[in-house]
Amino acid sequence: MFADSAKIFIKSGKGGDGHVSFRRELFVAAGGPDGGDGGKGGDIIFEVDEGLNTLTDFRMKRKYVAGDGEPGGKRKCHGADAKSLILKVPEGTVIKDFETGKVIADMSGGNKREVILRGGKGGFGNMNFATATMQVPKFAKPGQPGKEMFVLLELKVIADVGLVGFPNVGKSTLLSRVSNAKPKIANYHFTTLDPHLGVVDVKGAGGFVMADIPGLIEGASEGVGLGHDFLKHIERTKVLVHVVDAASTEGRDPVEDIKTIMNELKNYDENLLKRPQLIAANKIDAIYDEENDKIERIQAAFPDIKVFPISGVSGKGIQELLYELVNVLSTIDRTVKVFEKEFEIDYSSDKNLPFTVEKDENGVFVVEGPRIEKMLGYTNLDSEKGFDFFQKFLKTSGVLEKLEEAGIVDGDTVRMYGHEFDYYK
């Protein structure tokens, strides 16, 4: 089963918590801090697998969670880092944020491996917080949480040439004749429901990749039928070949068909019509009279586009079409179009430092920690504005909440690195 899109849930691992412990030695305060750091959480990594051409696996399993880092231990033991979770995808997969539709990464061109969600960093053990003024730190930094989100995977075909046209005009027959592709072929509408790719080797002239884009219909650019599902596969193609039923075997007008397809391409992305285009007037083996008149009519309607009369069944005219495609491709940049990154993962909320609230033997509530020390370092408590900021910090950082949990009441004293004040709610 071919699948070119999938919605999945991904989550990176949490960092291991730092450890609080003290080694037991004579003449060392409280034994000295020796709590180790926690290990890093696992990343979510996407990697291109050249052997894949579908997103089917992501339709079967939709939740992917990396492991957590191990917590630190005694004697400065560092917790083990978690293994990253590597998700294999076919080349051409675009990873988007499901909520906004913005591109996180495009696994195309030289981009073969991308870390989409970083695992949380491991927390520092209490051995890292010992200072001259705080020799017995009784806290450690918790590991950073992992990140989680829903992403949309979209596979956009990577091909040099895209065959476009209404259903049942012979695109699959043409592709099967000139390449190694084996699409299903039958004489009814929408035989092809999935894009097919084939490598075309032109004797003495090199080769290229050709894609049979499933049949488009009027209104496709507005999502009619499977319009958007089909049109997205044209976005990377360098040259478009309009395949039409020149013999009108089903009563269709080839000129009107081309105009309709062009209109759908323009409505979807007007830049598509700026790409080189050719017309393959197919099924000439079914034209028994006025052959030149039919071809000339198509050429007259589109004077700026070369028309090639061909027969996908007999092979007539196909070599001329292929040589022209090689010629056109030699004049343009065939570098794979890579969609630019539009969405950045926000890791700024992971930078909180720890603090502790303890009541000493004199009934004073002591608040310590690198977060508090850092704040006091850039805050002037003697100014009205600075003291205002200090009060807001106590509330928003959770310090007041911790003091209340510890049982503080109006009139109790709070000490923070040489600063003392009375608490009043």
Side-chain angles (χ1 to χ4, degrees):
M1 180 180 67
F2 180 85
D4 57 9
S5 65
K7 174 190 175 184
I8 63 171
F9 173 81
I10 56 176
K11 182 179 180 180
S12 59
K14 175 187 177 297
D17 294 336
H19 189 71
V20 177
S21 61
F22 300 89
R23 69 181 187 271
R24 301 189 178 281
E25 289 184 31
L26 290 174
F27 312 114
V28 178
D34 72 346
D37 301 340
K40 180 181 177 297
D43 297 332
I44 296 289
I45 300 175
F46 281 77
E47 193 171 86
V48 170
D49 185 334
E50 303 290 351
L52 295 176
N53 58 11
T54 176
L55 297 172
T56 302
D57 289 347
F58 296 99
R59 293 278 186 89
M60 313 303 288
K61 180 182 177 183
R62 295 180 180 268
K63 185 176 181 180
Y64 298 87
V65 180
D68 297 337
E70 291 188 0
K74 298 178 179 180
R75 300 179 182 176
K76 302 182 180 181
C77 288
H78 194 294
D81 294 341
K83 289 184 178 180
S84 295
L85 182 57
I86 300 176
L87 307 181
K88 304 283 190 176
V89 294
E91 186 173 8
T93 300
V94 180
I95 305 164
K96 297 180 177 180
D97 171 51
F98 183 77
E99 296 296 327
T100 64
K102 292 184 177 180
V103 175
I104 300 172
D106 184 356
M107 308 304 293
S108 306
N111 191 21
K112 305 295 185 184
R113 181 182 172 94
E114 183 90 15
V115 178
I116 300 301
L117 292 182
R118 295 201 308 261
K121 292 181 180 178
F124 292 135
N126 69 332
M127 67 176 182
N128 296 278
F129 299 112
T131 64
T133 57
M134 183 171 55
Q135 298 180 15
V136 190
K138 298 177 182 178
F139 51 80
K141 186 178 179 182
Q144 292 179 353
K147 289 289 184 181
E148 61 181 61
M149 65 189 305
F150 282 96
V151 295
L152 178 66
L153 308 182
E154 284 190 345
L155 176 58
K156 295 180 186 285
V157 163
I158 297 177
D160 300 301
V161 177
L163 303 179
V164 297
F166 274 75
N168 209 32
V169 294
K171 298 188 301 297
S172 296
T173 301
L174 175 59
L175 181 65
S176 67
R177 188 168 190 98
V178 301
S179 75
N180 56 354
K182 302 297 180 186
K184 182 179 179 182
I185 300 171
N187 189 30
Y188 54 86
H189 291 310
F190 292 106
T191 306
T192 306
L193 293 178
D194 309 313
H196 288 91
L197 277 74
V199 177
V200 181
D201 291 315
V202 183
K203 189 175 181 180
F208 54 85
V209 177
M210 179 181 283
D212 166 15
I213 308 300
L216 302 178
I217 60 175
E218 191 168 2
S221 60
E222 300 172 0
V224 174
L226 296 175
H228 286 160
D229 292 338
F230 295 162
L231 283 163
K232 69 185 177 187
H233 292 295
I234 303 176
E235 294 181 47
R236 297 192 203 265
T237 55
K238 304 299 181 184
V239 181
L240 298 177
V241 177
H242 296 271
V243 183
V244 292
D245 178 1
S248 300
T249 57
E250 297 187 354
R252 302 193 62 83
D253 183 344
V255 172
E256 290 304 314
D257 281 0
I258 295 172
K259 288 181 178 179
T260 300
I261 295 299
M262 283 185 168
N263 189 55
E264 295 306 320
L265 295 176
K266 179 182 178 181
N267 290 339
Y268 183 74
D269 182 354
E270 60 184 14
N271 290 318
L272 292 175
L273 293 183
K274 297 178 182 178
R275 298 178 191 179
Q277 300 176 67
L278 301 176
I279 296 175
N282 194 23
K283 302 189 180 182
I284 59 172
D285 54 297
I287 301 176
Y288 301 106
D289 56 273
E290 300 178 348
E291 175 179 337
N292 291 334
D293 290 347
K294 292 181 180 291
I295 303 303
E296 287 172 2
R297 178 172 174 268
I298 297 173
Q299 185 65 82
F302 306 98
D304 297 328
I305 304 177
K306 288 187 177 181
V307 179
F308 291 83
I310 68 167
S311 170
V313 174
S314 69
K316 184 178 179 180
I318 289 180
Q319 283 303 310
E320 289 80 356
L321 172 64
L322 297 182
Y323 279 114
E324 179 62 19
L325 285 170
V326 170
N327 180 53
V328 172
L329 288 168
S330 69
T331 64
I332 61 178
D333 182 8
R334 294 172 65 177
T335 304
V336 175
K337 176 185 177 183
V338 178
F339 294 93
E340 294 184 4
K341 179 179 289 191
E342 303 170 325
F343 188 90
E344 293 287 346
I345 309 298
D346 181 17
Y347 294 96
S348 61
S349 61
D350 299 336
K351 297 180 179 179
N352 291 342
L353 293 170
F355 64 87
T356 58
V357 174
E358 290 188 342
K359 190 174 183 180
D360 68 12
E361 63 276 6
N362 298 317
V364 175
F365 288 83
V366 181
V367 182
E368 292 182 327
R371 190 174 183 190
I372 308 301
E373 190 173 24
K374 185 177 180 182
M375 182 273 301
L376 291 173
Y378 58 72
T379 304
N380 180 11
L381 298 183
D382 294 329
S383 72
E384 184 179 346
K385 189 174 181 180
F387 194 74
D388 234 15
F389 172 80
F390 172 69
Q391 288 183 309
K392 288 180 181 177
F393 171 83
L394 294 180
K395 185 175 181 180
T396 58
S397 64
V399 172
L400 290 182
E401 185 180 346
K402 289 289 185 183
L403 285 168
E404 290 171 1
E405 289 177 4
I408 197 168
V409 295
D410 287 355
D412 284 344
T413 302
V414 178
R415 181 188 304 134
M416 296 182 182
Y417 293 97
H419 297 279
E420 287 193 0
F421 60 91
D422 294 332
Y423 172 86
Y424 289 99
K425 190 169 182 179

